[in-house]
């Protein structure tokens, strides 16, 4: 990781971990912070490694991938700018439950465990922010568990596209573009289906004009149609 | 819900939300607490209803069931004594993401939102406990997402049995008994498989002497064998 210039207080106050903090709290947050630039495909941390710092993403995107002893792997989540990641194990077993890999060149902010705990004790809003962020992710994971047990693959792929659009979509003249670069394999692992099914489904949607895929960017032309597909409407 | 006699400070200090609190903090926690007794099959809260209190289970067991607009439903989790539940939406959208149903007669403790926030601000250990509990559940959900995408049904049923044994197993002369009463349907929904597959699999394991099923209690005779099945060993 290379060092880079200081991040502004405004940008720090926009991180999900430090939102709604009193202005005077942002200075100690920045004083305790380390900033690092990582290249595309860099491994920020590895599943099983010991955890001693909290992470937040200032720019770029990161994929969180969990592998099993059996060789199977799933994309747990994509991280967009402003979001924290790798922070929860500081409160549990101090081991990363998954790999974090930079999807593109990214800027990563970190704080040591004692610094984070000290800041949380001084500013309870940080703990509340952390609980809120965990709560939202847990609700998403619960939804995914339900979808994996009851939905068809096509519905899950549509739902994965909607989630990514809500998380990192940018509206333009041609529709909503998902800013996170996505390989077909990523979409398949995120939706819990095979590469073959994900490729076939996206190709059919492209042909029908619902979305288009350029390089690794998906642009959705008809969000409403994708929403109906997620809900299982057949027409 | 009927009222019942006061819960001891020791029992309150053993709840996951209030573990490692200074002794003087337990008195205000109890002063703010309401205690209610619920019957088997009572609905403690309903998916979509507004949330205004935090919940913890003093005795009994509760199942958390999430349904979708499509009619599909999944058991998100079982709650054992000492565990909190229904508390996270206080920090997110203030709507219950799932139903909570008493599996057997149970004692439920609750605190109002302002009381919980006040206690958390006075005793940061409560926020840390909440983050730890959420972190552990999130890690479990991430595991389940991975298993649902990469494991066979039999492995997932074995893993569901292991999770329930770790959460509420009691060791006895005949093996480890899961204290939470379980219908086949519950096990199927928790493992993300069909009732047919869950019934067939458990019957085969009973025949092989790995476990036995009496009423709604599962007793595991050979935990090691169930562990090997979860890991996908064929022999």
């Amino acid at each position: 990781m290379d060092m880079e210039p200081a991040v502004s207080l405004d940008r720090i106050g926009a991180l999900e971990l430090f939102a709604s903090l009193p202005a005077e709290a942002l200075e100690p947050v920045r004083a305790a912070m380390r900033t690092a630039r990582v290249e595309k495909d860099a491994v920020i941390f590895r599943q099983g490694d010991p955890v001693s710092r909290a992470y937040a993403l200032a720019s770029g995107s990161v994929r969180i991938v969990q592998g099993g002893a059996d060789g199977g792997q799933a994309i747990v989540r994509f991280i967009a700018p402003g979001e924290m990641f790798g922070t929860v194990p500081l409160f549990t077993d101090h081991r990363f439950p998954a790999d974090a890999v930079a999807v593109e060149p990214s800027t990563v902010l970190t704080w040591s465990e004692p610094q984070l705990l000290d800041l949380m004790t001084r500013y309870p809003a940080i703990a509340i922010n952390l609980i809120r962020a965990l709560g939202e992710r847990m609700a998403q994971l619960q939804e995914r568990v339900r979808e994996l047990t009851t939905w068809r693959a096509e519905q899950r792929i549509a739902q994965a596209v909607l989630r990514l659009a809500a998380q990192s979509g940018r509206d333009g003249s041609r529709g909503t573009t998902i800013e996170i670069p996505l390989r077909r394999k990523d979409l398949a692992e995120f939706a819990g289906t095979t590469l073959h099914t994900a490729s076939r489904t996206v190709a059919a949607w492209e042909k029908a004009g619902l979305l288009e895929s350029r390089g690794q960017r998906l642009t959705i032309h008809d969000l409403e149609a994708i929403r109906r597909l997620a809900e299982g409407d057949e027409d």
Side-chain angles (χ1 to χ4, degrees), chain A:
Chain A
M1 298 197 195
D2 301 321
M3 290 306 163
E4 70 161 28
V7 174
S8 75
L9 288 184
D10 275 0
R11 226 163 133 201
I12 294 168
L15 299 171
E16 69 182 343
L17 209 44
F18 304 114
S20 341
L21 278 201
E24 76 271 15
L26 295 179
E27 196 51 74
V29 166
R30 181 165 67 179
M33 180 177 89
R34 271 197 218 156
T35 308
R37 184 88 192 152
V38 296
E39 293 312 308
K40 181 174 183 313
D41 297 326
V43 176
I44 299 163
F45 51 74
R46 261 183 219 289
Q47 185 169 341
D49 279 357
V51 180
S52 61
R53 304 185 71 79
Y55 295 72
L57 191 67
S59 70
S61 48
V62 168
R63 97 180 148 252
I64 307 291
V65 189
Q66 189 174 53
D70 52 7
Q73 69 176 32
I75 292 187
V76 170
R77 184 178 172 76
F78 289 93
I79 305 297
E83 296 181 334
M84 57 158 199
F85 62 108
T87 299
V88 176
L90 290 178
F91 302 92
T92 56
D93 63 356
H94 285 80
R95 296 273 158 190
F96 289 113
D99 292 345
V101 180
V103 176
E104 57 189 326
S106 302
T107 306
V108 174
L109 311 175
T110 67
W111 296 262
S112 76
E113 177 174 8
Q115 286 166 329
L116 181 70
L117 290 178
D118 175 57
L119 288 165
M120 278 172 60
T121 306
R122 283 159 70 191
Y123 307 105
I126 300 176
I128 307 276
N129 284 340
L130 183 49
I131 293 167
R132 179 180 305 116
L134 285 183
E136 283 164 4
R137 292 181 195 189
M138 214 164 73
Q140 273 203 6
L141 279 170
Q142 288 177 354
E143 279 282 339
R144 279 182 72 191
V145 165
R146 193 180 62 76
E147 292 161 14
L148 283 165
T149 56
T150 63
W151 284 20
R152 288 173 293 111
E154 187 197 51
Q155 289 181 278
R156 300 202 304 264
I157 298 165
Q159 183 68 17
V161 168
L162 292 176
R163 281 214 173 104
L164 291 165
Q167 187 186 13
S168 84
R170 189 170 43 79
D171 289 338
S173 60
R174 302 184 51 77
T176 303
T177 299
I178 295 173
E179 303 262 84
I180 298 169
L182 290 171
R183 301 166 301 177
R184 283 289 172 283
K185 180 172 182 296
D186 296 330
L187 195 60
E189 286 179 8
F190 191 48
T193 185
T194 59
L195 177 57
H196 176 73
T197 301
S199 297
R200 192 171 35 81
T201 304
V202 171
W205 292 347
E206 266 196 283
K207 208 170 161 193
L210 306 187
L211 49 73
E212 75 180 274
S213 169
R214 293 227 176 148
Q216 300 191 338
R217 309 273 165 170
L218 273 188
T219 299
I220 303 148
H221 299 313
D222 191 344
L223 264 178
E224 209 30 66
I226 301 287
R227 200 164 284 129
R228 282 195 303 272
L229 286 164
E231 286 163 4
D233 290 1
E234 298 294 336
D235 44 15

